[in-house]
Amino acid sequence: MSKKSEFRESRVTKLRFSYDALAPIRELYHDFLSERLPDDVHIGIKAHEDYSEEFKDVKMRWYFAKSQRAVDIFREVLDGCELHLVRSIVGDDLSKMRVVQANIIEIVGSYPEGRWHSDFTDEKLQLNQSATLLTPLLDFKSHFGGLETTSVLRGESLDYDENATVHKYEAGEAILFDGTGTIHRTQSYKAAPDDKRVLVCWQFGEIDEDMEPVFSRIGEKNGDPMFMHAHAD
């Protein structure tokens, strides 16, 4: 079965690529932490939004692209390696499938059982019009949690746990899932207080005149900027 067919059928697939291709994003991450970013590369910070009691000690942050040059760094990495296939797997037109948001996701220490959710939701957004791609940015320890997905579509039922699959992260392998149709969460795990689990995340949208206002609404709701300009290719 082709990756495109697998994605259409199950809404999840995996792609192998050169782990070294992530070097510019690793440099971006370290430069941000060291406050050495170029003037045109802006990165925002968002903390974990779940303020329930079990999450009060969770150290989780999203470092998100906040300028066009910042998101272009993520795009250039993706388009320059085997992961460029994503833009032909999702949707029907490679030129319309664009990286609209990009993040580095950092968890320090343990992570409790999270909530099930989907990334992009809007009444006008259908299956195969958005996607999320996740892969380890730094060395990934075996006890770190993976990605849990459920085969249940939004609105079908709430039997998420009974229909869940755990996908383990591996260096040089990225997990691609439908941004609207795949309900998912971070797998719970125990770790040392200074253990750092770091992923890179690309989020895709099918952009044309009809979909631009849809993704604008999603960006406003999620509180992150949307970048809908065409890729350099």
Side-chain angles (χ1 to χ4, degrees), residues 48 54-55 57-61 105-114 139-148 166-169 185-199:
H48 200 283
E54 62 186 340
F55 275 86
D57 295 321
V58 171
K59 298 176 182 177
M60 182 176 188
R61 286 186 171 184
I105 305 171
E106 174 193 271
I107 299 175
V108 181
S110 301
Y111 191 86
E113 188 172 279
D139 291 342
F140 201 83
K141 297 183 179 181
S142 60
H143 61 275
F144 286 165
L147 173 72
E148 285 189 273
V166 174
H167 308 271
K168 292 295 186 183
Y169 290 112
R185 66 183 178 184
T186 299
Q187 182 189 22
S188 176
Y189 64 94
K190 297 289 187 182
D194 59 347
D195 275 346
K196 187 180 286 190
R197 174 189 183 271
V198 185
L199 303 176

Side-chain angles (χ1 to χ4, degrees), residues 9-11 118 127 150-160 163 178 180-183:
E9 183 174 311
S10 64
R11 302 183 299 281
S118 53
L127 297 179
T150 176
S151 59
V152 177
L153 280 170
R154 179 179 294 277
E156 285 184 339
S157 77
L158 297 177
D159 298 328
Y160 300 143
N163 295 278
D178 191 286
T180 296
T182 303
I183 296 172

Side-chain angles (χ1 to χ4, degrees), residues 2 13 25 35 55 58 74 79 85-86 90 92 96 116 120 134 145 149 158 170 176 181 184 186 190 200 207 220:
S2 71
T13 192
I25 301 179
E35 299 182 346
F55 275 86
V58 171
F74 288 86
D79 289 336
L85 289 173
V86 172
V90 187
D92 298 312
K96 291 183 179 180
W116 291 104
F120 288 169
L134 290 164
T149 64
L158 297 177
E170 294 182 23
L176 175 70
H184 61 282
T186 299
K190 297 289 187 182
V200 57
I207 303 302
E220 290 171 6

Side-chain angles (χ1 to χ4, degrees), residues 57-125:
D57 295 321
V58 171
K59 298 176 182 177
M60 182 176 188
R61 286 186 171 184
W62 284 265
Y63 303 104
F64 61 90
K66 200 177 178 182
S67 67
Q68 181 168 323
R69 180 57 197 142
V71 80
D72 283 347
I73 292 171
F74 288 86
R75 287 180 168 193
E76 289 161 7
V77 167
L78 181 119
D79 289 336
C81 70
E82 296 90 336
L83 294 177
H84 75 273
L85 289 173
V86 172
R87 293 176 57 216
S88 59
I89 290 173
V90 187
D92 298 312
D93 186 337
L94 181 148
S95 67
K96 291 183 179 180
M97 189 53 58
R98 303 170 187 174
V99 174
V100 293
Q101 292 181 338
N103 310 267
I104 295 168
I105 305 171
E106 174 193 271
I107 299 175
V108 181
S110 301
Y111 191 86
E113 188 172 279
R115 62 178 180 85
W116 291 104
H117 65 283
S118 53
D119 289 339
F120 288 169
T121 58
D122 188 274
E123 61 181 9
K124 298 286 188 178
L125 188 63

